[in-house]
Amino acid sequence: LVYEQRWRATPVWLSFQCADGSHLADGTSLAEAAAACRAAFARRPARSLLGANCVSPDIVHELLDHLLAPDGALSGIVLYPNDGGTWDATERRWRRGSGERSFVESLAATWVGRIHAAGLDAIIGGCCSTDQCTVQALHRALFSAAK
């Protein structure tokens, strides 16, 4: 759709689900996928954002290494990490490994700093196992970091 003339002025937001900091969930190289998206986005006049959702906060720094590129194709980065831990499909619940409650205080402002340093807008939210408390803390952390 990004190539069709009728959609060229429509903003695009594409997020990946990643198995680790370098690969999509299906094993595809994140660097290759991100480069292909940036190449397609470069031919569009509309805002184009690229990112990842429902990924461990532990891999976001590495994801940013692949997503951030000074090529002018993107207008922003979107990150919606889960709150850590792993999904237990048998018990149908999230299990926490590190005991840390949230990525908000320790990581989100750093992510935004890296994204802004690249000249891009940042949209940060939360996915699985986050809740309204996470979103409120994220708002406080990001707005205090912006001051």
Side-chain angles (χ1 to χ4, degrees), residues 82-127:
N82 59 49
D83 208 17
T86 56
W87 175 251
D88 183 328
T90 304
E91 294 191 25
R92 304 192 50 78
R93 68 181 189 98
W94 284 91
R95 294 194 177 275
R96 297 209 187 284
S98 67
E100 183 178 339
R101 174 61 185 114
S102 178
F103 60 87
V104 173
E105 289 81 11
S106 59
L107 299 170
T110 304
W111 301 337
V112 171
R114 286 189 65 193
I115 295 166
H116 286 172
L120 301 173
D121 293 332
I123 298 176
I124 311 288
C127 196

Side-chain angles (χ1 to χ4, degrees), residues 37-109:
C37 289
R38 284 194 305 272
F41 293 165
R43 302 191 317 221
R44 306 179 75 252
R47 289 178 50 86
S48 300
L49 295 92
L50 194 58
N53 71 294
C54 205
V55 297
S56 168
D58 296 336
I59 67 170
V60 170
H61 284 296
E62 189 176 353
L63 294 175
L64 287 174
D65 292 341
H66 298 291
L67 295 173
L68 295 173
D71 57 13
L74 299 178
S75 52
I77 297 290
V78 178
L79 297 172
Y80 277 77
N82 59 49
D83 208 17
T86 56
W87 175 251
D88 183 328
T90 304
E91 294 191 25
R92 304 192 50 78
R93 68 181 189 98
W94 284 91
R95 294 194 177 275
R96 297 209 187 284
S98 67
E100 183 178 339
R101 174 61 185 114
S102 178
F103 60 87
V104 173
E105 289 81 11
S106 59
L107 299 170

